Amino acid sequence: MNVRDSEHMIAELSQKEKFTLTDNPKEADLIIINTCSVREKPVSKLFSEIGQFKKIKKDGAKIGVAGCTASHLGEEIIKKAPVVDFVLGARNVSKITQVINKKGAVEIDTSYDDSTYVFGEYRSNPFKAMVNISIGCDKSCTFCIVPVTRGEEISIPSHLIIQEVQKAVDSGAKEVTLLGQNVNNYGRRFSTNTFGAKNFTELLREVSKVDGLERIRFSSPHPLHMDNEFLEEFASNPKICKQIHVPLQSGSTKILKSMKRGYSKEWFLDRCNKIRDLVPNVAISTDIIVGFPGESDEDFEDTMDVLEKVRFDSLFSFKYSPRPHTEAAKYPNQVDKEIASKRLTKLQTRHKEIQKEIMDNQVGTIAEVLFEELKSDGKVAGRSDEGRLVMVKGSEELLGKIKKVKITSANITKLDGEVIN
């Protein structure tokens, strides 16, 4: 979602203010740092980053801070780093052209609604497009700062989504990724009277009707809203890639309750089993937090049990990081950092073993790959339907095409193969 916000800012600035991109910050007239605040580390990195840009920027160049950290720190950023010219919150991206010429501007209104604002078109990848289908989040997970930084959840009218998908396809995109904090909660709230899709499953059906669109991905669905109708559409719709992100967070029902996730360990396993029954070759990824306040050894073993039973293709795992404005930051039973580190190491070590087994098992199989990047060693890289990185020998003629590839070798991060059609 942050990448898409960056693309929106680039589109607005290049089309309305005639800015062009540069890879050299010393040449830049405008430097924007787009931030995340889900964990503590990116926030602490922000100010060292500002300091580095201050040293190298040319006279008169402006520095702006955007995104989620901008939303929750606001004018504190300028107080702490006066070199910053403006602060633009994650919910205010459409105001970018207003703030760049207003020294000291702080636009962080999380109730601001740009769900019907039509951004200019810019994509960092010519063959893939990211399309927001909702903004904000209505969940109250006790570890998460996102509802504070991105405001309440509002769905984007389906006709605007279809319009954006069609525009991307017309300009060469073969694949679209639908984005939302909880994509499968789509339709919960619209800011205007709207027509068309009223839930996520219906939206998937509408998007799949776009001529020329070959692949659909989405991120991230919430386990709570994975009803059978949604999972059956995921399984049966040929345009939907058979890769799904199912954020676990913890395998312990006790901890899930403390996190206010709204589901149990049993519900999560039931949904993953249903997905595998419907799509045996599916790739399932997840998020896991270890060391959440009150997590006992038994709770952590519940997480390890889910890891063994689901066997995730990929895993985004972190030690719990207390965030401001969140309920869990005030919990008294914080887990010792050393214990959390040991748990994280155990989780990641076992997952790498599972991941190696999964990747090794791909050797000899046939994958359908959308090629999107030319490498310097005479190879072309792309993603399989299941989202795995695949490399083959080839030229730019493969770019933007979907080809069948026989997998010849594997390691934990990528597959190598030969094009067979």
Side-chain angles (χ1 to χ4, degrees), residues 257-274:
K257 188 174 182 181
S258 182
M259 288 177 165
K260 293 188 178 175
R261 290 290 289 166
Y263 54 86
S264 64
K265 173 185 179 180
E266 290 71 27
W267 170 260
F268 185 92
L269 288 172
D270 176 81
R271 295 296 82 188
C272 288
N273 288 336
K274 174 81 173 174

Side-chain angles (χ1 to χ4, degrees), residues 108-371:
I108 56 169
D109 180 7
T110 55
S111 63
Y112 185 71
D113 178 15
D114 61 5
S115 62
T116 57
Y117 184 86
V118 179
F119 287 92
E121 184 61 23
Y122 174 84
R123 297 200 314 276
S124 47
N125 187 319
F127 312 115
K128 293 182 175 183
M130 291 175 283
V131 175
N132 288 344
I133 69 166
S134 63
I135 55 177
C137 182
D138 278 355
K139 297 290 185 241
S140 54
C141 303
T142 58
F143 56 82
C144 187
I145 194 174
V146 168
V148 176
T149 62
R150 288 189 175 264
E152 73 176 11
E153 186 175 320
I154 299 178
S155 295
I156 292 169
S158 61
H159 73 277
L160 293 179
I161 295 167
I162 301 301
Q163 183 179 299
E164 191 173 347
V165 171
Q166 186 67 66
K167 196 187 299 181
V169 170
D170 290 345
S171 63
K174 297 291 181 72
E175 177 179 304
V176 66
T177 300
L178 306 177
L179 299 175
Q181 219 55 52
N182 301 292
V183 285
N184 54 339
N185 201 33
Y186 178 82
R188 173 176 165 78
R189 181 188 298 111
F190 294 95
S191 62
T192 59
N193 290 331
T194 189
F195 303 94
K198 288 295 186 291
N199 67 35
F200 185 57
T201 304
E202 290 167 337
L203 180 67
L204 286 171
R205 291 180 188 134
E206 282 195 22
V207 172
S208 67
K209 291 174 187 172
V210 173
D211 285 339
L213 179 65
E214 298 192 43
R215 285 182 163 185
I216 301 168
R217 299 187 194 272
F218 48 83
S219 185
S220 291
H222 194 292
L224 189 61
H225 306 299
M226 288 187 169
D227 58 29
N228 287 347
E229 184 191 21
F230 160 64
L231 294 182
E232 284 158 12
E233 183 67 24
F234 168 75
S236 63
N237 189 322
K239 287 192 177 182
I240 297 176
C241 292
K242 301 312 179 240
Q243 171 195 25
I244 190 165
H245 189 71
V246 192
L248 171 63
Q249 308 304 358
S250 173
S252 160
T253 297
K254 182 193 91 179
I255 295 298
L256 288 169
K257 188 174 182 181
S258 182
M259 288 177 165
K260 293 188 178 175
R261 290 290 289 166
Y263 54 86
S264 64
K265 173 185 179 180
E266 290 71 27
W267 170 260
F268 185 92
L269 288 172
D270 176 81
R271 295 296 82 188
C272 288
N273 288 336
K274 174 81 173 174
I275 292 166
R276 288 214 188 275
D277 285 346
L278 292 168
V279 190
N281 65 326
V282 70
I284 302 176
S285 58
T286 198
D287 302 324
I288 291 176
I289 297 169
V290 301
F292 186 80
E295 183 187 69
S296 65
D297 290 340
E298 291 76 17
D299 294 322
F300 175 67
E301 287 308 317
D302 274 336
T303 298
M304 293 297 294
D305 183 51
V306 175
L307 177 71
E308 295 296 339
K309 285 175 174 164
V310 179
R311 293 176 62 83
F312 300 104
D313 277 68
S314 58
L315 169 67
F316 303 91
S317 54
F318 314 98
K319 285 188 292 184
Y320 169 70
S321 178
R323 307 306 300 123
H325 313 294
T326 62
E327 205 175 318
K330 304 180 188 76
Y331 285 178
N333 46 357
Q334 302 287 322
V335 173
D336 181 81
K337 287 184 180 179
E338 196 173 319
I339 291 172
S341 293
K342 285 179 180 176
R343 289 175 183 169
L344 184 63
T345 299
K346 182 178 179 181
L347 176 77
Q348 291 177 340
T349 300
R350 177 59 188 135
H351 178 255
K352 281 179 182 174
E353 293 169 354
I354 290 171
Q355 201 173 28
K356 185 177 187 306
E357 291 167 17
I358 290 171
M359 294 296 271
D360 285 348
N361 286 339
Q362 302 309 308
V363 176
T365 64
I366 308 297
E368 289 201 348
V369 180
L370 170 58
F371 290 102

Side-chain angles (χ1 to χ4, degrees), residues 374-389:
L374 198 61
K375 296 293 186 179
S376 57
D377 56 359
K379 291 188 175 180
V380 188
R383 294 276 170 184
S384 71
D385 189 79
E386 300 79 23
R388 300 183 182 110
L389 178 64

